[in-house]
Structure formats: C-alpha cells, structure tokens
Amino acid sequence: MKSSGRIAVAVTVFLLVSSTLRAAGVDFKDPRRALGREDDIKVDAQMLQETLSPGSPISVTYQIENLTASPIAVADKVADATFDADSLTITVSIGAEIPPGTSMPHLTTIAPGQTRAFRIGASPQILVADARSQLGHVPRFVQIVVNVLHDIKPFAKLIEQQMRTAAAPPLPNTLFDTWVASVSSVELNVLPIRWSNERQGVTAEAARPGL
C-alpha cells in the first residue's frame, strides 16, 4: 500500500519456526487463510490469532508453491510490519524486498513444483497516542506480503557458502540492485482483525494510570 497516512512502527521480529518440510502447512478451511499468486509463485498463509492488542505478536504460517520452471528462494527469517492509518491496515512483509544489511539474509530454496511451509511472526508496536480516544485509527485489517527471489542464479555461490557455514556471507554491492530486480512481491488478500486495547497479560484495572 502506498498511502500518505502510513505510520512506521517499531517492530520486534522473532522466529517462531523456520522449517522447510517440517512446518505444519496452512489449514485451507480456516477463515483466517489468505492467498495470492504472482509470476507462477503461489502463496497461502494463515494468521494464528483473531485478536491483536498492544505488544501482541502477529504469527503467520505460510507456504510457497513454485509453479515456475526454475528454483526460487525466500529469506525465511526476515519479517517486518507497518501500519497505514488511512486504511487501518497492518502490512506484514515476509522475506527481504531489499537486503536488510551488508550480509545476505538466510535463504531457503524451493525447487520447481515444490511446496514448502514456514512459520514466522512479528510484534509491531502501533504508534497510536491514545487508542481509547482514537478508535478509528487502530488496526482493523492485516495484509500479508511475501517477497520471493524468482531468479537465484546470481546468488548461487553465496547460497552454497551459506550452506557450509553458520556465518552469513557478505552481500557484494554489485548484487544489491540484482537482488531488488529479482524480487517478486506476492500480495495476499486482506484479512479482518479484532483489536483490544488491553495489553497481553495486563488487566484493564492494572493498565489505568495511578493504579
């Protein structure tokens, strides 16, 4: 979403599960399931909660199906979130649309015809001064976007190096633009979300000032 009302949020990203074949797949009957397709890359995702509150995580199970003729890859340990006050939507971006630093993020490859499932989450701190007095500006929707590298040939040697060592290999400056040009962003349909003003583990009485 490209809106002037977008508000940057502080995000704590945590890995719930980073698995290729062991992670449970998406429940296609769950009403919190979202789906999207771009360039013969199909993504299904499922939010693991119905209600968000200040400081609560957004946990997502997602699976990527590669319908192309070439291997693809996803930076499966990268996720962040932004809040758009105009549309009341939190966008959860999974995978790296732009390399987040000078090292190559961890990449998991997906072979042609293969489907792999992952689980990840991020805990956004929504910058709303007073949610109780601005009920129209708290999150009502979540959109999941999964960024996938559709051309991994330029990164083949780095992926091999990544498999041999725990240290993240440096990403040369010459490959930065190549990375950006190789990304396909799969936007999934928007999901409704309930919002509670109470922080997790904090009662309404305890949250009142002076108590």
Side-chain angles (χ1 to χ4, degrees):
M1 283 166 289
K2 296 180 180 179
S3 168
S4 60
R6 171 164 291 190
I7 300 175
V9 297
V11 179
T12 302
V13 176
F14 60 94
L15 184 66
L16 297 177
V17 175
S18 176
S19 173
T20 54
L21 299 178
R22 296 189 300 273
V26 173
D27 181 357
F28 294 109
K29 296 181 180 179
D30 194 304
R32 293 164 295 182
R33 175 209 175 196
L35 58 100
R37 180 167 174 168
E38 182 76 24
D39 296 333
D40 286 332
I41 299 169
K42 181 183 176 185
V43 179
D44 293 275
Q46 174 186 356
M47 280 203 321
L48 303 183
Q49 69 271 78
E50 295 179 350
T51 302
L52 293 179
S53 59
S56 67
I58 301 174
S59 306
V60 177
T61 295
Y62 66 101
Q63 60 186 46
I64 301 172
E65 182 178 3
N66 182 7
L67 300 173
T68 74
S70 303
I72 60 176
V74 61
D76 58 308
K77 298 185 178 182
V78 176
D80 62 15
T82 54
F83 174 55
D84 182 81
D86 289 341
S87 62
L88 309 181
T89 301
I90 296 174
T91 299
V92 179
S93 181
I94 299 171
E97 184 177 11
I98 298 174
T102 58
S103 299
M104 188 180 76
H106 180 271
L107 290 177
T108 293
T109 59
I110 305 166
Q114 188 178 31
T115 299
R116 286 191 163 183
F118 310 85
R119 186 175 296 176
I120 201 168
S123 182
Q125 305 296 322
I126 307 301
L127 299 181
V128 177
D130 186 351
R132 290 177 175 81
S133 64
Q134 301 183 38
L135 293 178
H137 296 285
V138 298
R140 299 299 182 195
F141 307 97
V142 171
Q143 182 171 36
I144 299 165
V145 179
V146 180
N147 301 293
V148 179
L149 282 175
H150 61 259
D151 181 7
I152 65 172
K153 292 188 294 293
F155 308 96
K157 291 184 179 180
L158 292 177
I159 293 173
E160 291 179 6
Q161 182 179 342
Q162 173 187 270
M163 296 175 65
R164 294 195 301 266
T165 178
L171 184 67
N173 291 334
T174 53
L175 287 179
F176 184 91
D177 289 340
T178 304
W179 180 292
V180 174
S182 300
V183 167
S184 291
S185 296
V186 185
E187 296 186 359
L188 282 63
N189 58 281
V190 175
L191 296 170
I193 195 75
R194 297 192 186 106
W195 178 263
S196 171
N197 288 324
E198 293 186 12
R199 292 182 178 272
Q200 284 191 330
V202 179
T203 64
E205 290 77 10
R208 290 176 185 167
L211 293 181

